[in-house]
Amino acid sequence: MECPQKDCFQSNANLDIMKAGSVLRKATSRMWKGQRHYKLQDDCKTIMYKSSWTLNSYSTISVGDVEAVREGHQSEVFLSMPDEFPPECCFTLVFRGRRGNLDLVASSAEEAQAWIQGMQMLIENLQNMDECEKLDQWVSDLFMRADKNKDGRISFKEVQKLLKLMNIDMNELHAHALFMMSDMSETGMLDAEEFVHFYKLLTERKEILELFQEYTSNGQALSHCDLEEFLREEQLEGERSHEHALELIHRYEPSDTAKTQQIMSVDGFLMYLTSAEGSIFNPEHQCLYQDMTQPLNHYFISSSHNTYLLDDQLKGRSSVEAYIKALKRGCRCVEVDCWDGPNGEPIVYHGHTFTSKILFKDVISTVAKYAFEASEYPLILTIENHCSVEQQTVMAEHLKNILGDMLLKITIDGKVPSVLPSPEELKGKILLKGKKMGELEECSDVDNLESSDVSDGDDDKAEDLDNQATESTNSKENLSKELSDLVIYCKNVHFSSFEHSRNHSKPYEMSSFSESKTRKLIKEAGGDFIQHNKRHLSRVYPSGLRTDSSNYCPHEMWNVGCQIVALNVQTAGLEMDLNDGLFSQNNRCGYVLKPEILRNSERFDPEFPDNRKDYCPLSLTIQVISGQQLPKLSKKDWSIVDPLVRVEIYGVPLDQTQQETKHIENNGFNPYWNETLQFVIHTPELAIVRFVVEDYDMTSKNDFIGQYTLPFSCIQQGYRHIHLLSKDGTSICPSSLFVHITIKKAS
């Protein structure tokens, strides 16, 4: 069996150098810079390395775990010792999830380029694979793992061990029968092609075959009309099913003859169902499909708390790498905690703790480089300012000099806004959120500013001036004018009450709320909070008692329209699953338009969703049919998972619920549940659905296997595959669930 990548890499000079191996220096600090021998394996998927001081001990790096390669001094380690190694010899491997980077130094610029370009080619190839190619890759990996002596053949004993690794406890007689059916050469061994045949017998999807047979008119293939009927009746595609059927045959049918005849085989049918189009997530919602011209406060904004931290907020490491990870995952609001540093340079860290410190100017340089890599829409810098006036002035200079035209220094139209500008109007701009002296009308950088808000009466303005005077007197004592002037649309103000905000606050004024304060306000005046968020931005942040950088559940804050619900993105778990799920739509641009009920004039109360005029609850029926190739949790050969599926609904209190299937004993390879779970969704616009697969344990807590989270509004009906993600939110291909989804009006 040839590696799917291998053919296109046969004569690549860079890969030849990588396969020959290189002695590269691993740089971790000024104190330790060890040498290791790194070598790309022939499968083009694995890098083996051995420390110079070990004899026969090898470790491996999977190319699939590497997200990107950075050239030169583009990591914290290299930036901390720029004179130690020439930049042309340096490169950094950036791993997916929360694994730390690997900083390497080659002996020459040519050798470094070979590894940089070679790795980039391998990564790009993996990223461009479709589901079928990924599956081929996985099967190839299985064969190579079983082929211990690398002679291109495997015995039945090796197959038995492999079945345990594949999470399947199969009857030995049945496994041997499949083995003999696949041994075409009658040698008692399987070569690569024979193993593919064995794998196909092993993974035969009876539930798919039955569905295929139900819609085929001749028992052999789906005609164009058969497929059109399936799309219309089961996938509820309606009007576009005719054209779509032709497109699917052309795209997924592996046989050219079948394509010519406009028919689809069972293999093509399976390829369609496991593709992105057969996914539970509606592809139309993955692109930029929402209106981006509404005021900024009409959007949920992907937000990070303590962005500088990679770990906990007591002893954790502060790093510019944390900003890179947050920005690359689509965060549009990041936090910078600023304190006075040595030599007149402000530093960033979690004050009064043992977290490490980084330079403010390094943070801003990192932001300048990565701000718009994942999204072109505005980035908000939340400045937690603990600096002296002198170092605040230094901060202002760094912001202006490093960010340049990206930094918003004046209102976009030269006027004081009656409403906030839109993400579309602020494309490519970085906004500063922080304290400001006085009003935007007084900003010295704006010529002839005129308020476009004509609703204020004279009495209101007089009272505002009294409040401003008090605030300005206090602020001027410890706030740099240069920094103050850079705060335009996100002036941070103390929250007094919803009534005071309604009568006196400007559109560009916003407040920050702790999670406990937010919950108290939701409980006491949830409807008023929603009305407040129709006019202003609100930021919510985790409790200071969360020293382990854990998170709160964000959905209750979203329910009342809070836009900037900041989480510790460095901490995986349910809360980040919900955040990633919400922002997985709209091209992952970090902005999601709030539903109409949180933007219009009608009062909406999450506690009583049935009081709204257009109340229309929906029934969600999920038939959990089967699972495919769930990951093995234990390295012990005899340990096979006992999987169950739980479906969790998050949203307004009335929608908070969960249901689960029974567990299947000793089968993580192709478990079959065929159980139906049913829910009533009272506020579909705010509902988020989370699928969780766990390994059942009678005596202790179930172990997590995988999850997938998405907004209810993005669900496709019909027969769908759910491609599972790890706790870190990364793909664990080819693990998936097969379900049938029905959504209709609740009776």
Side-chain angles (χ1 to χ4, degrees), residues 48-172:
M48 292 188 69
Y49 63 89
K50 183 176 72 168
S51 299
S52 58
W53 49 270
T54 59
L55 295 175
N56 298 312
S57 177
Y58 285 89
S59 299
T60 60
I61 296 169
S62 171
V63 173
D65 290 339
V66 182
E67 181 181 335
V69 186
R70 295 195 202 130
E71 189 172 350
H73 291 172
Q74 292 195 59
S75 76
E76 200 162 348
V77 168
F78 285 134
L79 288 171
S80 69
M81 44 182 181
D83 300 327
E84 195 83 10
F85 303 108
E88 61 271 17
C89 295
C90 302
F91 63 96
T92 301
L93 301 185
V94 181
F95 293 96
R96 300 182 188 282
R98 288 163 172 81
R99 181 176 171 182
N101 296 343
L102 177 61
D103 296 295
L104 297 170
V105 185
S107 58
S108 68
E110 292 74 23
E111 187 176 49
Q113 279 302 311
W115 279 86
I116 291 165
Q117 294 177 20
M119 283 299 300
Q120 287 172 340
M121 181 188 301
L122 294 174
I123 293 166
E124 185 177 350
N125 182 74
L126 285 173
Q127 289 173 341
N128 291 335
M129 279 186 180
D130 59 26
E131 292 299 323
C132 181
E133 290 170 323
K134 288 177 183 176
L135 186 60
D136 287 345
Q137 179 90 43
W138 194 70
V139 176
S140 172
D141 288 345
L142 289 175
F143 182 79
M144 295 185 74
R145 286 175 72 180
D147 183 16
K148 298 295 184 183
N149 62 1
K150 307 303 177 190
D151 66 350
R153 301 186 305 163
I154 56 176
S155 66
F156 179 64
K157 189 174 182 180
E158 287 174 312
V159 166
Q160 284 181 296
K161 289 183 179 179
L162 185 61
L163 291 177
K164 295 288 186 183
L165 289 173
M166 293 164 71
N167 233 342
I168 182 169
D169 189 16
M170 181 178 282
N171 175 278
E172 184 175 342

Side-chain angles (χ1 to χ4, degrees), residues 403-680:
L403 299 180
D405 290 340
M406 288 188 289
L407 181 65
L408 190 75
K409 308 179 191 72
I410 188 172
T411 58
I412 58 174
D413 57 1
K415 294 181 179 179
V416 177
S418 58
V419 295
L420 287 172
S422 69
E424 189 68 29
E425 291 173 298
L426 292 168
K427 259 186 185 178
K429 290 297 182 184
I430 296 175
L431 283 59
L432 214 61
K433 173 194 170 292
K435 296 175 182 176
K436 184 176 183 67
M437 292 187 287
E439 298 297 316
L440 189 56
E441 292 88 334
E442 303 167 13
C443 182
S444 60
D445 290 338
V446 182
D447 294 328
N448 302 318
L449 272 174
E450 295 180 1
S451 175
S452 54
D453 186 351
V454 296
S455 63
D456 282 339
D458 292 338
D459 292 339
D460 290 336
K461 288 182 179 178
E463 189 172 343
D464 282 347
L465 289 171
D466 290 337
N467 293 332
Q468 292 163 20
T470 305
E471 185 182 26
S472 296
T473 302
N474 295 332
S475 298
K476 284 177 181 176
E477 295 173 2
N478 54 23
L479 186 59
S480 158
K481 183 179 185 304
E482 288 83 356
L483 188 61
S484 170
D485 285 348
L486 296 179
V487 176
I488 307 299
Y489 290 122
C490 299
K491 177 187 176 182
N492 202 55
V493 297
H494 174 72
F495 177 78
S496 299
S497 68
F498 290 124
E499 182 181 5
H500 180 273
S501 169
R502 186 165 54 248
N503 294 328
H504 305 296
S505 293
K506 308 288 186 180
Y508 56 83
E509 293 178 333
M510 60 178 293
S511 300
S512 292
F513 305 88
S514 67
E515 59 173 291
S516 55
K517 176 72 171 178
T518 305
R519 288 197 189 96
K520 184 172 183 289
L521 290 171
I522 291 171
K523 187 175 181 180
E524 294 174 352
D528 289 335
F529 211 160
I530 291 175
Q531 295 303 314
H532 173 85
N533 288 326
K534 289 176 183 178
R535 301 183 302 271
H536 303 282
L537 286 170
S538 292
R539 178 177 180 268
V540 183
Y541 58 91
S543 164
L545 298 176
R546 294 183 180 273
T547 54
D548 58 350
S549 291
S550 60
N551 285 308
Y552 53 83
C553 270
H555 66 274
E556 55 187 319
M557 288 71 175
W558 291 330
N559 286 345
V560 293
C562 293
Q563 302 88 351
I564 302 175
V565 180
L567 298 178
N568 290 298
V569 299
Q570 71 271 28
T571 306
L574 160 65
E575 300 82 10
M576 276 308 299
D577 291 346
L578 294 176
N579 191 79
D580 291 344
L582 175 67
F583 291 104
S584 61
Q585 61 184 312
N586 208 31
N587 201 32
R588 297 183 180 271
C589 74
Y591 283 83
V592 169
L593 187 64
K594 293 195 289 187
E596 180 69 20
I597 52 173
L598 297 179
R599 294 183 280 118
N600 64 21
S601 57
E602 180 190 348
R603 286 188 73 86
F604 167 72
D605 190 341
E607 294 288 337
F608 303 99
D610 50 345
N611 284 349
R612 55 188 280 200
K613 291 178 182 176
D614 56 348
Y615 173 65
C616 183
L618 297 177
S619 168
L620 170 64
T621 303
I622 301 173
Q623 182 188 3
V624 181
I625 303 171
S626 62
Q628 293 76 44
Q629 288 97 55
L630 303 178
K632 186 178 175 69
L633 300 180
S634 172
K635 292 182 179 179
K636 297 174 182 175
D637 285 349
W638 51 264
S639 176
I640 307 292
V641 300
D642 305 324
L644 62 83
V645 178
R646 185 170 61 254
V647 178
E648 303 168 347
I649 311 293
Y650 297 87
V652 299
L654 207 54
D655 287 338
Q656 294 284 122
T657 188
Q658 60 182 43
Q659 295 179 38
E660 64 185 33
T661 67
K662 62 179 183 294
H663 68 274
I664 305 294
E665 290 192 5
N666 290 333
N667 189 354
F669 186 72
N670 54 1
Y672 185 76
W673 293 279
N674 200 30
E675 289 188 52
T676 299
L677 310 178
Q678 197 150 14
F679 306 88
V680 174

Side-chain angles (χ1 to χ4, degrees), residues 18-20 147 179 298 397 447 546 704:
M18 294 171 68
K19 288 178 182 177
D147 183 16
F179 183 92
H298 283 188
E397 288 304 307
D447 294 328
R546 294 183 180 273
F704 174 90

